[in-house]
Amino acid sequence: MDLYDSPGQSRFRAGLRTWLAERLPTGPGTPPGRLDPARLREWAKPLDQAGYAGLTWPVEHGGRGLHPVYQGIFAEEWAAAGAPELPTVIGLHMVGPALIRYGRPEQRQRHLAAIRSGDQIFAQGFSEPAAGSDLAAVQTRAEPVPGGFVVNGEKLWSSYAPLADYCLLLARSDPDLPKHRGLSCLLVDLRGPGVQVRPLRQINGEADFGSINFSGVRVGEDCLVGERGGGWPVALTTLAHERGSFAITLVARLSVQLDRLVATAGATGRAGDPIVRQQLAQLHVERQALRFTGYRALSGGPPNGDPGPESAMLKLQWSHTHQRLTALALELLGPEAVLDGEDAFWSGYWQGQRLRSRGNTLEGGTSEILRGLIAERVAGLPRSR
Ligand SMILES: Cc1cc2nc3c(=O)[nH]c(=O)nc-3n(C[C@H](O)[C@H](O)[C@H](O)COP(=O)(O)OP(=O)(O)OC[C@H]3O[C@@H](n4cnc5c(N)ncnc54)[C@H](O)[C@@H]3O)c2cc1C
């Protein structure tokens, strides 16, 4: 594996770095300011115009057809610049690839360009009150009627739902079939009649996700992705991309977080503390292991293919390392850790990160589920059930 950028990758990295530097008031090493969520949409259009949206999508679908290594470079530069997380990520990294693989030509026409430009923000409507880890247990009904479906039910924890225009919905269309075969995926307009989105406030006070209620919502046949009853493979494709693309992004962000933690140790006068030094060194070792596992997954994977089960290892290890990193940050702050807002160190940046990190071992598959997947698909153990 060659760890150096090729000339083309170097040019790409340098171009993106300049592009970001022209747009961001902050520089590397500065904790990111929180942008007004409504303003985040404004980032999507210029990003698309500059050719940075849909990097790995095939050219015939409006992407650049680049190898996933470029997505990794993008993630590293984005994180290093302290750029904000974009609300277009579910569309770009999950719904887009699913539509490219399973969508009809009219669906691709209707959504792909709008996903890239940020005109359509997508949420993922999979989890329900009684269907999280056991996703195939979803109860939301998509009852087939002439010309389409009528949807009734509730989805929970949908990231970006309060901002989103559409959701990719996993619903039960055929309750009499075995549970994995009775599911269908639909593209649902969240602004339409019968849909109610409620923001869910998290422990850190923010509302990045929400619940979506569907009450007698009519969805046309033209919004069915893949076959009726063929929703499960579509869902699996989006989940593989969620872990794959996000794992690379999260590892890049973790690397920057660790630099900030080292800066925090210096600023709080704890950099000479032998116990703190041990903990920082351990986190550095884990960062390097994550980085190189990420590089191996990127360089070994098929160009533009679905991410493999290694992405589950990255996501699992990242979430635990990140939780320890944010816990150490609060330890470094000592009694000041209880402060919040303007009075707190870096305006409460670490407090927000620590609270948000609690969800890391749940989102995109809990640690127990990921260990089960790794046991079967990486270590080759027999299926548990
Ligand atoms: C920050 C955040 C963002 C999210 N964003 C989205 C989103 O955008 N869209 C979406 O659809 N969902 C989203 N989710 C929901 C997420 O996918 C679920 O929380 C997750 O799948 C777990 O489901 P659950 O909460 O119902 O827990 P459960 O499935 O009820 O699990 C409860 C506990 O039992 C354990 N457990 C369950 N089954 C097994 C098993 N077979 N073996 C061993 N242990 C098991 C779990 O590991 C967990 O500890 C998000 C969640 C969070 C925290």
Side-chain angles (χ1 to χ4, degrees):
M1 180 173 67
D2 184 358
L3 291 174
Y4 292 99
D5 287 345
S6 68
Q9 290 163 357
S10 273
R11 275 195 302 279
F12 176 83
R13 192 185 286 280
L16 176 59
R17 199 173 285 178
T18 307
W19 190 87
L20 282 164
E22 285 165 1
R23 273 156 194 82
L24 280 165
T26 55
T30 318
R34 181 106 187 132
L35 287 187
D36 173 2
R39 291 204 50 212
L40 289 177
R41 268 186 198 252
E42 294 170 15
W43 275 74
K45 207 153 273 178
L47 192 78
D48 184 32
Q49 283 161 354
Y52 293 122
L55 291 175
T56 57
W57 292 10
V59 174
E60 64 269 31
H61 296 305
R64 284 182 62 183
L66 293 173
H67 190 278
V69 164
Y70 284 82
Q71 195 63 50
I73 295 173
F74 180 90
E76 285 182 348
E77 293 302 319
W78 197 260
E85 190 179 320
L86 294 179
T88 44
V89 286
I90 292 187
L92 284 176
H93 300 307
M94 295 159 70
V95 179
L99 286 181
I100 288 167
R101 173 112 168 240
Y102 295 102
R104 307 171 192 194
E106 321 80 76
Q107 293 171 341
R108 295 179 184 141
Q109 188 73 25
R110 206 160 55 212
H111 297 291
L112 289 182
I115 285 174
R116 286 198 315 275
S117 65
D119 289 328
Q120 289 179 8
I121 289 179
F122 264 84
Q124 178 203 41
F126 285 8
S127 302
E128 293 182 5
S133 301
D134 186 9
L135 189 57
V138 299
Q139 294 300 319
T140 292
R141 278 284 277 130
E143 191 189 341
V145 293
F149 301 85
V150 173
V151 177
N152 283 290
E154 185 188 12
K155 293 289 170 179
L156 264 188
W157 320 124
S158 291
S159 301
Y160 302 105
L163 278 181
D165 309 291
Y166 283 87
C167 93
L168 181 68
L169 179 79
L170 184 67
R172 191 158 300 284
S173 51
D174 300 272
D176 299 330
L177 289 179
K179 73 178 184 179
H180 291 84
R181 299 225 317 266
L183 298 166
S184 296
C185 265
L186 300 171
L187 297 157
V188 183
D189 181 354
L190 294 181
R191 317 265 180 208
V195 181
Q196 201 186 9
V197 178
R198 269 192 298 262
L200 293 172
R201 204 149 293 284
Q202 298 139 222
I203 192 173
N204 64 357
E206 285 159 12
D208 297 329
F209 51 30
S211 69
I212 314 175
N213 237 283
F214 301 90
S215 174
V217 177
R218 287 197 70 95
V219 179
E221 176 75 35
D222 60 333
C223 297
L224 173 67
V225 183
E227 303 294 318
R228 176 175 147 191
W232 189 242
V234 181
L236 290 187
T237 298
T238 65
L239 290 173
H241 279 273
E242 175 175 14
R243 285 176 203 137
S245 324
F246 288 172
I248 295 304
T249 305
L250 297 170
V251 170
R253 250 190 253 159
L254 179 115
S255 191
V256 175
Q257 291 278 72
L258 184 51
D259 293 342
R260 291 187 183 133
L261 188 64
V262 170
T264 304
T268 53
R270 302 285 304 280
D273 180 328
I275 307 244
V276 169
R277 293 165 74 87
Q278 290 282 316
Q279 288 170 302
L280 288 173
Q282 178 61 34
L283 288 168
H284 175 69
V285 169
E286 289 171 42
R287 159 169 73 178
Q288 294 303 78
L290 281 164
R291 267 181 70 197
F292 294 120
T293 307
Y295 289 164
R296 199 175 51 194
L298 281 177
S299 62
N304 306 323
D306 291 344
E310 312 78 34
S311 58
M313 297 199 293
L314 278 172
K315 195 278 170 173
L316 176 68
Q317 184 59 42
W318 162 79
S319 57
H320 290 275
T321 303
H322 189 236
Q323 286 184 345
R324 273 185 292 107
L325 189 157
T326 56
L328 178 56
L330 291 201
E331 230 177 285
L332 293 178
L333 297 184
E336 277 193 52
V338 298
L339 296 177
D340 202 2
E342 290 308 306
D343 292 335
F345 182 83
W346 283 355
S347 304
Y349 170 76
W350 284 122
Q351 285 85 338
Q353 294 294 308
R354 172 65 186 144
L355 292 173
R356 178 60 184 81
S357 75
R358 300 291 298 185
N360 295 162
T361 42
L362 301 173
E363 58 197 312
T366 67
S367 296
E368 290 76 22
I369 293 301
L370 295 181
R371 287 191 194 100
L373 198 148
I374 293 163
E376 281 173 22
R377 297 194 41 208
V378 180
L381 293 171
R383 286 180 70 86
S384 57
R385 61 199 156 94

